[in-house]
Amino acid sequence: MAAVKLVKFLGEAPKISPELLPDAAGQLAFNVKLYSGDLIPYRQPLLVDNVGRTGTIKTLYGMRDPATDVLKYLTWSTDVDIVTPSDSVDEEQRFYYTGDGVPKVSTYALATATGKPYPNNFYELGLPLPTTKLTTVATSFTTSTTASFARDAGNTATLVTGTAHGLRTGNIVTVSGLPAATTSVATFNVTNAEVTVVNDTTITYYSPGEIVTTTANTSGKVSLAGNTVPRSYVYTWYTPWKEESIASEPSANLYIKEGQTVTVTNLPTAKPTGDNFVAGVKLYRTLASSSGTEYYNLATLWFPIKLAKVKRLTNVVTVTTATHHNLAIDDRVKISGCTDSTFNVTNGVVLDVIDHVTFTFTQIASDVAEKVETGGTLYHDVAETLDKSARYWGDGSYSFTDDFDYRNLTDILITDEYDAPPADLQGLTSVQNNILIGFVGNTLYFSEPGKPWAWPVKYALTFPYNIVGVASVGGYILVLTTNYPYQVSGNNPATMAFARIDTLYPCVSKRSIVNMGYGVAYATYGGIAVYSPSVGMDLITKYVHDWDTWDGTLDPDTLAGKFFNGKYFGSHSTNSFMFEREDRIGGFFVSVNYTWNAAWYDSKTNRSEEHTSELQSRLHLVCRLLLEK
């Protein structure tokens, strides 16, 4: 009896005439794994969840409950790009996405807050512009009259004033009207001397001369010195994620001397309207220096926060707030309005921060089991330092008193060009140096490194052709257009440069773009193109498909691709396939008997081959398992 033995299966090669096919190649390789030489089928996918969304799903993304590790699936009917930059991987599972209206940011808790379909809630990625102009009033400085003077052996003069002098350490003053103690003693009168405040009525300053014991005198005058300079104030919106907006329009200039107290009013009392995570403002003032005039941060002013739950155990109160509390250990807090008034506290000191909504402080009182407390309000201290009396912003007043020491101002406003991303941004991708990129038309946009909400327009690059998709590969950015592809290089969005890749392989389907490790693969005319910075551009399907067989067998314009088990897994309007690169024979191409609209790879449950024979265990397919409600 005659027999035929096949020792190696090579898959499909549509470009080769049937009568010229090499041994073990076929006109059709259907649902078969080819790596072992045996005929092993791919198993059918299993139903793993009902996502609760009707219609065609184009994007699928899995998130795990941080408490139970149970998967929940986020789905969209549009082509959505999702990224999780490295600095946002925290207990909130923050993620950013485009393709569903304006660019957005969400978390596990927000996205799964209510029932299916997910996601439920989000914030817009860019921050709104401040629209309020601050109002300021300077308090006139009152010249003080001396009560006595003295000088020690270290040339330190001590002045006592008859009333509170109103000075702060570091103020520049002029002292006049004081006589010398004797004709041989140097005068105590000085111009532009820096003072140290001892108490409300006593100051010291450098004054060379002989020792002088305390001498009563009421003829001396102490007044502010230094130059009169213009001062203005601005504010920015600020979120618990340390996102900060462009600054407001400056307040009208005050012409004052350093040391005068300024009252700032017309500050916002609540977050701006819209889907944003703003929870406070940062207040800045000008400060002139040898390098110019800059805006320096005075304080972060958090809006009052409602409580959610409280409990007290062995004199330690645990507070859960309705949203982020924005506190650190040793911060002072005020809580008032609690239904259980025993939890009200002034000048409570934060003992520990449990998480972003839970903190503790000590309070001597009887134990109380955890209970709901929505009547209480948390206020934040905005005093300059902990050795100053606490000031709780929003507790009866939203004005701010600036009597801060200018020498403690160190943080400069840097958000002048922190534009929000374009409302129609798409193709969100994370690239080197924790930069996000996206595109609109033929323009590529960049975020500030590590600042996903800030997209300075000045960084944008414009290409000759409309962009179809982008990818990160080998430390470069690959920009795929309707014509030539381009390579963008650089680690700073301010210095990015691009060069054309002189191989005319247009991208015909954004959803076909897949990073395969050895390069970025995507659908073009004639097959799947692949690009890597070290090797360049090529068609990886050139041994199994030609231009006519590719377009005749597939519908490349609708192709969606996914990385799976080292293979390119593609699905289009009429079929699906697996392609695995094999340099010795050109690659394995296998047809699969079902199509899918969206897929997500679960890297956490990836296992060795013997435990992952079922396709669905690693690649959750949107076909019959997710499309039916």
Side-chain angles (χ1 to χ4, degrees):
M1 180 179 177
V4 176
K5 181 179 181 181
L6 298 179
V7 296
K8 183 69 175 177
F9 297 103
L10 301 180
E12 299 178 14
K15 69 179 293 183
I16 302 175
S17 176
E19 62 270 17
L20 299 178
L21 282 171
D23 292 342
Q27 290 181 273
L28 178 65
F30 187 76
N31 253 24
V32 61
K33 298 179 182 180
L34 302 176
Y35 59 85
S36 69
D38 294 326
L39 285 174
I40 302 174
Y42 283 110
R43 296 186 181 182
Q44 292 289 323
L46 299 177
L47 179 64
V48 296
D49 198 4
N50 177 355
V51 299
R53 190 182 300 277
T54 57
T56 300
I57 295 171
K58 291 187 177 180
T59 306
L60 172 69
Y61 185 72
M63 298 193 76
R64 295 186 179 278
D65 187 312
T68 65
D69 207 40
V70 172
L71 268 172
K72 292 185 179 180
Y73 295 99
L74 281 55
T75 57
W76 292 266
S77 58
T78 55
D79 178 20
V80 171
D81 293 283
I82 305 163
V83 298
T84 54
S86 59
D87 69 341
S88 71
V89 179
D90 53 23
E91 72 275 9
E92 294 186 85
Q93 299 184 56
R94 219 179 313 164
F95 64 97
Y96 304 85
Y97 59 102
T98 58
D100 181 32
V102 299
K104 297 177 173 69
V105 55
S106 190
T107 66
Y108 175 85
L110 283 170
T112 62
T114 57
K116 298 177 182 179
Y118 307 125
N120 304 141
N121 302 311
F122 60 86
Y123 298 118
E124 292 185 8
L125 182 54
L127 296 182
L129 293 175
T131 57
T132 302
K133 185 175 180 179
L134 302 178
T135 303
T136 56
V137 175
T139 301
S140 298
F141 183 81
T142 302
T143 299
S144 301
T145 301
T146 59
S148 66
F149 60 84
R151 181 164 46 228
D152 64 16
N155 294 318
T156 297
T158 300
L159 286 187
V160 177
T161 57
T163 57
H165 49 64
L167 296 169
R168 298 190 302 276
T169 296
N171 283 166
I172 307 299
V173 302
T174 294
V175 179
S176 60
L178 288 174
T182 66
T183 56
S184 63
V185 177
T187 182
F188 284 79
N189 296 327
V190 292
T191 301
N192 295 337
E194 182 176 315
V195 300
T196 298
V197 172
V198 178
N199 56 45
D200 288 348
T201 59
T202 306
I203 60 172
T204 63
Y205 58 93
Y206 176 73
S207 174
E210 298 178 6
I211 296 173
V212 176
T213 58
T214 300
T215 304
N217 186 285
T218 59
S219 63
K221 304 294 181 183
V222 181
S223 58
L224 275 178
N227 297 323
T228 298
V229 295
R231 186 192 299 182
S232 62
Y233 292 76
V234 298
Y235 74 92
T236 59
W237 295 121
Y238 198 56
T239 79
W241 293 332
K242 299 182 180 180
E243 300 166 324
E244 189 173 2
S245 74
I246 292 174
S248 65
E249 182 182 353
S251 64
N253 274 334
L254 295 171
Y255 293 90
I256 59 177
K257 294 180 178 180
E258 194 64 59
Q260 287 184 250
T261 297
V262 175
T263 301
V264 183
T265 57
N266 207 30
L267 284 157
T269 61
K271 80 176 195 70
T273 59
D275 295 316
N276 59 76
F277 195 34
V278 171
V281 300
K282 297 193 79 169
L283 181 62
Y284 293 82
R285 56 154 285 196
T286 51
L287 182 63
S289 67
S290 58
S291 59
T293 299
E294 298 280 0
Y295 281 97
Y296 284 78
N297 181 229
L298 274 170
T300 300
L301 311 177
W302 296 108
F303 300 129
I305 297 170
K306 299 301 292 183
L307 271 54
K309 294 185 295 185
V310 293
K311 74 174 181 180
R312 186 166 47 237
L313 180 64
T314 59
N315 297 326
V316 174
V317 174
T318 301
V319 177
T320 301
T321 51
T323 184
H324 291 58
H325 53 62
N326 310 309
L327 292 169
I329 293 174
D330 292 332
D331 280 353
R332 291 181 294 199
V333 297
K334 178 176 181 178
I335 294 175
S336 64
C338 288
T339 304
D340 182 346
S341 61
T342 66
F343 286 97
N344 293 336
V345 64
T346 300
N347 295 339
V349 178
V350 175
L351 178 66
D352 193 16
V353 173
I354 308 303
D355 56 37
H356 58 274
V357 294
T358 312
F359 68 96
T360 66
F361 66 90
T362 58
Q363 184 187 49
I364 300 175
S366 59
D367 291 354
V368 177
E370 184 175 76
K371 62 180 180 178
V372 173
E373 177 54 80
T374 58
T377 301
L378 167 69
Y379 299 94
H380 296 76
D381 176 28
V382 295
E384 182 178 12
T385 56
L386 291 177
D387 60 350
K388 303 290 180 66
S389 297
R391 304 175 183 179
Y392 294 107
W393 192 64
D395 180 25
S397 173
Y398 285 93
S399 64
F400 183 86
T401 300
D402 176 17
D403 56 1
F404 286 13
D405 186 344
Y406 72 94
R407 297 175 302 175
N408 293 332
L409 307 182
T410 57
D411 295 334
I412 297 175
L413 175 67
I414 61 172
T415 64
D416 287 343
E417 296 175 323
Y418 281 11
D419 303 294
D424 51 351
L425 190 76
Q426 57 181 311
L428 192 68
T429 303
S430 180
V431 299
Q432 60 271 18
N433 204 21
N434 209 10
I435 299 167
L436 295 189
I437 62 171
F439 61 90
V440 177
N442 66 338
T443 304
L444 183 68
Y445 293 89
F446 301 84
S447 77
E448 284 283 352
K451 295 178 172 60
W453 74 94
W455 295 70
V457 173
K458 67 178 183 179
Y459 295 154
L461 296 178
T462 302
F463 293 80
Y465 312 101
N466 280 344
I467 299 171
V468 178
V470 294
S472 176
V473 54
Y476 294 90
I477 300 168
L478 179 64
V479 177
L480 301 172
T481 75
T482 56
N483 206 283
Y484 285 98
Y486 292 81
Q487 177 180 284
V488 179
S489 59
N491 292 312
N492 186 327
T495 57
M496 293 287 187
F498 67 87
R500 192 177 80 177
I501 300 168
D502 288 324
T503 306
L504 188 54
Y505 285 160
C507 181
V508 299
S509 172
K510 173 180 174 295
R511 300 181 69 213
S512 71
I513 302 170
V514 179
N515 193 323
M516 298 298 296
Y518 53 79
V520 173
Y522 65 95
T524 186
Y525 299 116
I528 297 177
V530 66
Y531 176 77
S532 71
S534 58
V535 178
M537 184 72 75
D538 198 6
L539 281 178
I540 55 174
T541 54
K542 62 185 177 183
Y543 295 106
V544 296
H545 269 293
D546 206 342
W547 268 256
D548 53 351
T549 61
W550 177 252
D551 287 340
T553 307
L554 286 84
D555 184 9
D557 291 351
T558 64
L559 181 61
K562 208 69 179 178
F563 178 89
F564 174 60
N565 272 8
K567 305 172 182 63
Y568 185 100
F569 188 17
S571 184
H572 51 97
S573 61
T574 60
N575 202 2
S576 294
F577 65 88
M578 290 274 194
F579 178 80
E580 182 175 8
R581 189 178 76 164
E582 171 53 72
D583 294 334
R584 292 171 298 176
I585 61 173
F588 302 111
F589 193 95
V590 176
S591 295
V592 183
N593 70 330
Y594 46 80
T595 60
W596 48 271
N597 298 313
W600 173 72
Y601 179 76
D602 186 0
S603 59
K604 184 172 183 177
T605 60
N606 195 27
R607 302 165 183 156
S608 60
E609 184 62 27
E610 65 267 49
H611 296 300
T612 55
S613 59
E614 292 179 355
L615 187 61
Q616 64 83 28
S617 67
R618 283 176 290 176
L619 190 66
H620 297 278
L621 302 178
V622 178
C623 49
R624 67 178 177 85
L625 87 165
L626 291 178
L627 280 184
E628 297 177 2
K629 187 173 180 180

